Amino acid sequence: MTVQWSGLGPELLLQLDRGLGQPLRSQLEAGLRDAIRGGRLQVGERLPSSRELARELGTSRGLVQECYSQLLAEGYLTSHAGSATRVAATARPAPAKPPPGQAPPPRLVADFRSGVPDLASFPRGDWAWATREVCRSVPTPDLDYGDPRGSMVLRQVVAGYVRRVRAAAADPDRIVICTGFAQGLNLVLRVLAELGVRRAALEDPGYGSEATSESVQTVLAMGIDVVHVPVDELGLDVAALEASSARAVVVMPAHQSPTGVVLAAKRRHALVDWAARNDGYVIEDDYDSEFRYDREPVGVLQGLAPDRVFAIGTVSKSLAPAVRLGWVLVPPPLVDAVATAKRVSDRGSSGLDQLTVATLLESGRYDRHLRHMRSLYARRRRVLIDSLARHAPGVKLTGLAAGFHAVAHLPYSADEQAVVTAARERSVGLYGMAPHRGTPVAAPPQLVLGFGNVGERAIESGIATVADLLS
Ligand SMILES: Cc1ncc(COP(=O)(O)O)c(C=O)c1O
């Protein structure tokens, strides 16, 4: 018969098997040693008294005392007169060595990884203030599971915000709060798959291939085929979309990632027309449009066709990815289906975080933060342009109208991957266009230069360090 004992906490389970033919004392010793070595019993943790443990295990107290004495002698336990027996500091298991190939990455002089906002600028003070406000004022019933669409307070605030800033056709009843673009896409595709959508188009370059992109994997996981549709200087090639027989397309009209192209007005209309004629759906990834430098932000496509477009917003770029909060503006007939998918997925996003974001938006602190970030990114963008002009004048930059990344066009003779590798050897993080391509093509060498999370001095010295590789 096996006696199970879990009195040290939920994770510690000691087993004595009386049918094993092995002495109980050695079983108990081995169980405790394993728990200490494996880290289930941490250094300094208190063990139960011998009397308590003997009762739990149905053994004699003497047996437990002998066992403790043995482990004391071996250095696994310590005990001082009048105090409890504890796991000894010397019993700490050697820290696991990282497996080969997983050593921490070396520090970079400059890391031009795209998609990352300035993490150091996260408005910690405002967040802490808003969290306190929410904790002080949240009505007790709002601490329960809520509407799967999300907090009504946040939905109202988001609706007002995206109407004002993004010219969206937003109604709080038709918004589903989610944890960001990744989840929004997942929920929408699930619903579209149920509606019989079997093929979805992705921009190319864009999210990349199955090997490089979680978004592509998400589409495939829903049982939906992926087709890649080219992006040119006017944005998504809508004629190619038409020819692809896809019924859904994921598109970034305001600032395509990674090319930085803005979808041209006539393509916007053609895309909406495509959706209407084909019973098709557009999933709009509206990820970084708050940051536009040359003129006012372009409104969302969803404003033109709210019945055909799902617009997904996120605070990953405006605040930080760690917040994990976003929203989907859903065509009216599909709101319940998306809300159900959200409920099934995780029963709703954190109600407290939703209220915190709503408080930031309502208080004007979010807008103030955006103004601050816009001028910070504008300065970094300027430094990037100037540094390239100074150190590698042959390199053209495009895609700079918005966001915080740009595309650098290398000379035709350059080898994109070789430049990336050589830059890494000089401790500069450069990233090629190749991982963003859905289909491997012989394309001109390009780099995607993120400048969101790199300081001005690092941009300047990073570009100076790799200038000869770029030219
Ligand atoms: C193109 C694009 N869209 C959206 C996002 C934001 O995703 P999420 O909201 O899940 O953080 C990212 C993040 O890097 C991105 O690169």
Side-chain angles (χ1 to χ4, degrees):
M1 187 193 64
T2 300
V3 176
Q4 296 193 338
W5 180 82
S6 61
L8 290 182
E11 287 182 26
L12 183 65
L13 191 69
L14 289 176
Q15 297 188 333
L16 295 185
D17 189 343
R18 290 182 163 78
L20 205 62
Q22 194 186 346
L24 294 182
R25 182 185 143 178
S26 61
Q27 286 190 44
L28 181 56
E29 277 175 24
L32 284 168
R33 262 190 225 104
D34 284 352
I36 293 168
R37 283 199 207 108
R40 285 187 296 144
L41 273 174
Q42 297 282 316
V43 169
E45 206 160 328
R46 187 185 74 85
L47 269 73
S49 69
S50 54
R51 188 191 308 276
E52 232 179 290
L53 185 51
R55 195 179 49 245
E56 293 281 354
L57 295 174
T59 63
S60 71
R61 187 176 170 202
L63 182 141
V64 176
Q65 281 171 331
E66 280 173 26
C67 192
Y68 278 10
S69 304
Q70 179 63 30
L71 293 180
L72 279 162
E74 290 176 14
Y76 284 92
L77 302 177
T78 57
S79 112
H80 302 290
S83 72
T85 304
R86 294 181 184 274
V87 177
T90 45
R92 187 197 304 267
K97 282 202 181 120
Q102 283 193 11
R107 267 186 75 79
L108 297 174
V109 175
D111 188 0
F112 292 96
R113 184 157 71 92
S114 65
V116 196
D118 188 52
L119 300 176
S121 293
F122 178 73
R124 291 170 189 252
D126 287 341
W127 184 269
W129 167 82
T131 304
R132 241 189 336 270
E133 284 298 297
V134 167
C135 287
R136 199 178 47 74
S137 61
V138 61
T140 303
D142 287 5
L143 294 172
D144 201 350
Y145 296 111
D147 186 320
R149 288 172 299 179
S151 142
M152 186 47 148
V153 176
L154 179 61
R155 285 186 284 128
Q156 279 169 338
V157 171
V158 164
Y161 175 74
V162 295
R163 275 198 304 261
R164 172 168 62 87
V165 175
R166 310 290 304 118
D171 172 338
D173 288 337
R174 297 182 199 145
I175 291 178
V176 176
I177 302 297
C178 57
T179 57
F181 172 74
Q183 188 185 43
L185 179 67
N186 193 302
L187 302 176
V188 169
L189 289 171
R190 190 168 300 183
V191 168
L192 292 183
E194 279 163 18
L195 281 183
V197 170
R198 290 285 161 264
R199 176 168 292 181
L202 299 180
E203 293 178 308
D204 192 7
Y207 300 103
S209 65
E210 189 183 351
T212 58
S213 158
E214 283 166 12
S215 295
V216 180
Q217 288 160 11
T218 304
V219 181
L220 295 169
M222 298 297 155
I224 297 177
D225 277 354
V226 169
V227 279
H228 293 281
V229 171
V231 170
D232 60 25
E233 63 286 356
L234 299 179
L236 178 83
D237 180 345
V238 182
L241 171 66
E242 188 97 46
S244 74
S245 63
R247 251 188 82 202
V249 58
V250 189
V251 63
M252 298 170 254
H255 183 235
Q256 205 272 343
S257 174
T259 63
V261 168
V262 179
L263 189 66
K266 64 181 179 196
R267 294 266 178 100
R268 287 166 76 88
H269 289 288
L271 185 54
V272 166
D273 184 49
W274 164 85
R277 281 185 290 100
N278 292 282
D279 189 19
Y281 290 96
V282 177
I283 304 166
E284 179 169 18
D285 178 359
D286 193 37
Y287 66 105
D288 73 355
S289 48
E290 291 89 353
F291 305 111
R292 184 151 186 118
Y293 309 106
D294 55 350
R295 55 187 158 98
E296 285 306 296
V298 195
V300 277
L301 193 69
Q302 186 269 356
L304 289 180
D307 293 351
R308 287 282 153 203
V309 181
F310 296 85
I312 307 180
T314 175
V315 299
S316 287
K317 310 294 172 185
S318 53
L319 291 175
V323 177
R324 304 315 303 142
L325 213 87
W327 47 83
V328 191
L329 310 189
V330 185
L334 300 176
V335 174
D336 287 348
V338 176
T340 302
K342 173 67 179 165
R343 182 169 46 75
V344 170
S345 165
D346 60 9
R347 294 196 184 170
S349 295
S350 154
L352 294 171
D353 288 349
Q354 291 183 60
L355 291 172
T356 301
V357 170
T359 305
L360 283 179
L361 277 153
E362 250 178 337
S363 64
R365 291 175 186 232
Y366 184 79
D367 277 354
R368 189 179 65 191
H369 173 67
L370 288 185
R371 281 196 298 278
H372 168 68
M373 297 312 293
R374 219 173 273 132
S375 66
L376 181 121
Y377 293 140
R379 286 198 302 277
R380 291 183 180 180
R381 173 180 177 273
R382 189 70 256 161
V383 172
L384 180 65
I385 296 169
D386 292 347
S387 305
L388 273 168
R390 197 165 32 253
H391 300 294
V395 175
K396 187 176 142 201
L397 271 184
T398 57
L400 280 159
F404 33 79
H405 72 262
V407 177
H409 300 256
L410 300 178
Y412 276 91
S413 57
D415 176 336
E416 189 179 296
Q417 185 50 46
V419 170
V420 169
T421 308
R424 185 59 64 151
E425 281 159 12
R426 298 180 192 179
S427 300
V428 175
L430 293 182
Y431 301 85
M433 180 62 85
H436 297 274
R437 298 195 189 279
T439 40
V441 283
Q446 294 170 348
L447 300 174
V448 182
L449 293 179
F451 54 87
N453 200 28
V454 212
E456 291 173 39
R457 284 187 23 210
I459 294 175
E460 165 70 30
S461 56
I463 295 296
T465 306
V466 296
D468 60 310
L469 302 174
L470 308 179
S471 306

